[in-house]
Amino acid sequence: MSDSREADKKAYDNRLRPAIRSHQRTPSGSRDFKEATKRDALARVEVELERLLSTIPETRRPQMHKEFQGFKKLFSRFLAEQGPSMSWDKIEKLPEGAVIDYASLKTPTTDNVHHMLDKLVVVKLNGGLGTSMGCKGPKSVIQVRNELTFLDLTVQQIEHLNKIYKCNVPLVLMNSFNTDDDTQKVIRKYKGLKLDIYTFNQSCHPRINRESLLPIAKDGNVYSDIEAWYPPGHGDFYESFYNSGLLQKFIKEGRTYCFISNIDNLGATVDLNILDLLLNPDPQKYVSEFVMEVTDKTRADVKGGTLIQYEDKLRLLEIAQVPKEHVDDFKSVSQFKFFNTNNLWAKLDAIQRVVEQGSLNMEIIVNNKHLSDGLNVIQLETAVGAAMKCFEGGIGVNVPRSRFLPVKKTSDLLLVMSNLYSLSNGSLAMSPQRMFPSTPLVKLGDNHFAKVKEFLNRFATIPDLIELDHLTVSGDVTFGRGVSLKGTVIIIANHGDRIDIPSGAVLENKIVSGNLRILDH
């Protein structure tokens, strides 16, 4: 009996020994383990997606199945990727003519504009919520100027174009499951205008548990647990536009280009000079299937994506793709002079071609999120501009700063609501009274100014900013009526203190700190 027990023990020890030895010898065992778990993860995700599909009504299944196919592609590429998607050493200097100076473009004659605009489709990326600015619903319905919203201004711009040039440029909104219902309600009010509005939804993908790499959704009803789902970035535009049938419809109508931009970029208006460059190209050159509007990088834009030449193609380089040791190089204004405004022009039949060929392989952005219940999740996204390398004859156009006027925070809102800009037919133009074209740098404290409602309560009227260079406000600060800010102004109320800037005050190159209370008499 004891002999057989001894033999069993020996056999057990022998089985253990190779495992222990290989683990100690080299870390390759952990690499094999990771590879095995990745293969396993894909198989388990496929099973889980099938289960989620089975929980939704049959009418929704074909659409959801298409979206899940797109997710599976992203997920399998995410699992297969080994480190950065590009080698820093392979980045080349931008070749001659890769970026055209906007000032060199010719302005088309008025009689030609009507025909040119009939070839155009305007697309606005409308998938974002206003939560970062403390608002409910789509960001596009936040009021930005004269009680008009982002959407109102966009509609005004295009309706004005259609009236002036007697054409019919359609407006297309790419919504997400977060913004679609509210947007549909809002656009009813534009029914009487000379403008056709179309909408389609970008995909809806499941968020993934960072540890298990499995979807966190319990069933396929998106609205029963909205935190379990996400829209996968605006790079999803091409396939969703194709799947909606709108792309094919516009091609049949004889339209050739679309202009794509973020709905919160108030500088992204239809530009006739760029449209002319695309529709009436130099016969000696390639037809450009893709144009990215870039503008000169300043210290405020160091994190914005930039244009590079890589493996004989122009492409977008985002900070997320940069190896840690080269982040400072990426941020250098001298090394990378331009950044992407996300105003893009793409040829419609080229979009159809790259989608049908399956040749869209945009870099994956891994977005780590921390949910309200404490769960760590990842969402896989792509950027619309990253598709540039998939098109032929891509170029950059270095546009004036006025074409990049995004409203991401209340500090941006302060600028566009002020007398720095005048509003005409939905378009903002910088006041001729400002001596230089650069916009002031404004930093407002998050604790008191981040939400739109709080921000508005702190200004009796928006100050005069015509001569402002730099404004920093921190702490509990309020502004009276008719305040004027010039040069560099820094206002800091320490914790527990409050500063009231009195009505009619003119602050020029001033630092205000401590406690300043103005009491009404």
Side-chain angles (χ1 to χ4, degrees):
M1 184 78 178
S2 63
D3 285 353
S4 69
R5 197 179 294 128
E6 196 65 37
D8 286 348
K9 183 178 180 307
K10 245 184 200 167
Y12 178 70
D13 286 348
N14 284 338
R15 276 203 311 276
L16 273 184
R17 201 166 285 125
I20 293 167
R21 213 170 37 235
S22 67
H23 181 67
Q24 289 170 333
R25 189 179 64 242
T26 158
S28 72
S30 64
R31 199 160 51 239
D32 293 344
F33 171 75
K34 276 183 182 166
E35 287 308 310
T37 54
K38 278 181 176 180
R39 280 194 302 276
D40 187 38
L42 185 57
R44 287 187 305 142
V45 158
E46 284 177 339
V47 169
E48 196 56 21
L49 293 179
E50 283 304 315
R51 186 189 69 74
L52 289 173
L53 264 184
S54 70
T55 65
I56 62 171
E58 280 196 29
T59 49
R60 278 273 300 129
R61 270 182 217 172
Q63 179 60 32
M64 200 76 154
H65 177 71
K66 265 185 192 169
E67 293 177 16
F68 280 0
Q69 290 302 106
F71 174 75
K72 270 198 291 194
K73 261 191 246 168
L74 268 185
F75 188 71
S76 54
R77 281 178 52 213
F78 157 70
L79 293 176
E81 275 188 5
Q82 305 282 333
S85 55
M86 63 171 69
S87 163
W88 190 261
D89 303 333
K90 286 190 186 172
I91 296 175
E92 303 156 45
K93 198 168 182 284
L94 287 175
E96 188 85 18
V99 177
I100 297 170
D101 188 357
Y102 181 83
S104 71
L105 300 183
K106 63 181 197 294
T107 301
T109 54
T110 310
D111 56 338
N112 207 14
V113 170
H114 166 82
H115 302 293
M116 287 167 48
L117 287 170
D118 279 340
K119 304 277 185 196
L120 182 67
V121 177
V122 172
V123 178
K124 292 287 179 181
L125 305 172
N126 184 46
L129 290 167
T131 41
S132 63
M133 291 167 76
C135 297
K136 284 189 171 150
K139 186 175 182 184
S140 57
V141 299
I142 294 176
Q143 291 184 359
V144 283
R145 179 85 187 217
N146 299 6
E147 297 184 353
L148 297 170
T149 66
F150 290 106
L151 202 47
D152 291 336
L153 295 176
T154 300
V155 166
Q156 270 195 13
Q157 287 164 22
I158 298 171
E159 196 209 16
H160 179 66
L161 264 187
N162 288 342
K163 271 184 182 166
I164 292 287
Y165 296 107
K166 298 181 174 53
C167 56
N168 187 22
V169 176
L171 170 63
V172 179
L173 301 172
M174 180 169 87
N175 299 334
S176 67
F177 62 88
N178 285 319
T179 63
D180 189 52
D181 280 356
D182 288 332
T183 301
Q184 298 300 345
K185 289 171 192 158
V186 170
I187 60 179
R188 286 180 202 147
K189 72 177 181 181
Y190 308 125
K191 276 236 167 86
L193 302 178
K194 184 176 166 34
L195 175 69
D196 292 331
I197 301 178
Y198 300 88
T199 66
F200 69 97
N201 273 19
Q202 66 184 113
S203 300
C204 176
H205 285 180
R207 278 178 167 154
I208 295 289
N209 182 311
R210 201 187 302 170
E211 296 309 315
S212 69
L213 293 183
L214 283 173
I216 62 170
K218 302 286 184 287
D219 61 55
N221 180 354
V222 174
Y223 297 100
S224 68
D225 182 11
I226 212 151
E227 268 207 322
W229 305 86
Y230 74 99
H234 39 55
D236 182 58
F237 161 72
Y238 306 99
E239 294 204 3
S240 292
F241 190 36
Y242 179 93
N243 290 339
S244 73
L246 286 171
L247 173 64
Q248 298 82 338
K249 168 190 158 56
F250 293 133
I251 290 173
K252 266 189 194 154
E253 288 176 5
R255 299 186 187 275
T256 49
Y257 278 93
C258 63
F259 171 49
I260 310 154
S261 62
N262 296 349
I263 198 148
D264 65 6
N265 178 6
L266 296 174
T269 56
V270 171
D271 189 280
L272 298 176
N273 297 10
I274 297 175
L275 186 59
D276 181 62
L277 169 76
L278 295 171
L279 294 176
N280 304 302
D282 182 334
Q284 309 295 312
K285 294 183 179 169
Y286 284 119
V287 170
S288 294
E289 291 184 347
F290 196 99
V291 165
M292 178 181 288
E293 291 185 35
V294 295
T295 194
D296 293 343
K297 197 194 259 195
T298 68
R299 286 200 305 278
D301 317 305
V302 291
K303 291 183 179 176
T306 192
L307 260 188
I308 58 166
Q309 179 82 352
Y310 191 88
E311 294 177 342
D312 296 325
K313 280 258 182 168
L314 267 189
R315 62 196 270 184
L316 176 65
L317 175 65
E318 298 274 12
I319 195 164
Q321 297 159 250
V322 177
K324 282 192 176 67
E325 65 273 20
H326 289 290
V327 166
D328 286 344
D329 298 328
F330 175 82
K331 289 180 176 180
S332 155
V333 177
S334 57
Q335 259 183 287
F336 297 101
K337 292 193 300 192
F338 308 116
F339 80 97
N340 169 29
T341 63
N342 221 38
N343 300 346
L344 308 166
W345 303 72
K347 202 158 185 280
L348 297 178
D349 59 4
I351 295 175
Q352 185 171 19
R353 184 188 74 238
V354 296
V355 172
E356 287 177 352
Q357 285 177 350
S359 57
L360 278 169
N361 62 333
M362 293 162 281
E363 286 73 25
I364 294 172
I365 300 160
V366 180
N367 196 343
N368 291 297
K369 291 271 181 184
H370 190 71
L371 298 188
S372 54
D373 62 1
L375 193 65
N376 290 322
V377 296
I378 53 175
Q379 48 191 58
L380 306 176
E381 302 173 12
T382 55
V384 65
M388 184 177 209
K389 62 180 181 183
C390 311
F391 292 85
E392 297 303 320
I395 53 168
V397 174
N398 185 14
V399 297
R401 185 73 185 202
S402 57
R403 290 197 54 75
F404 184 67
L405 194 55
V407 180
K408 303 289 181 194
K409 296 178 166 182
T410 52
S411 50
D412 303 319
L413 200 53
L414 179 66
L415 294 175
V416 300
M417 292 176 93
S418 77
N419 61 343
L420 269 176
Y421 295 97
S422 58
L423 181 65
S424 171
N425 302 308
S427 298
L428 290 178
M430 190 172 278
S431 166
Q433 286 178 280
R434 186 158 173 88
M435 299 302 285
F436 28 87
S438 62
T439 48
L441 196 59
V442 174
K443 294 178 183 174
L444 301 178
D446 283 346
N447 290 345
H448 296 82
F449 288 87
K451 293 184 166 59
V452 173
K453 196 176 172 188
E454 275 187 4
F455 158 83
L456 291 173
N457 284 339
R458 292 188 171 272
F459 294 93
T461 60
I462 300 295
D464 170 354
L465 305 182
I466 288 285
E467 294 177 45
L468 180 70
D469 296 326
H470 180 122
L471 172 67
T472 295
V473 182
S474 177
D476 186 358
V477 179
T478 63
F479 293 79
R481 292 181 169 279
V483 171
S484 185
L485 305 173
K486 302 179 180 189
T488 296
V489 178
I490 298 169
I491 305 168
I492 296 171
N494 296 323
H495 185 68
D497 290 344
R498 175 170 156 185
I499 294 176
D500 293 331
I501 303 297
S503 291
V506 177
L507 300 182
E508 183 167 5
N509 297 324
K510 285 275 189 296
I511 296 176
V512 181
S513 64
N515 199 6
L516 177 66
R517 297 295 301 275
I518 307 295
L519 300 174
D520 288 333
H521 292 292

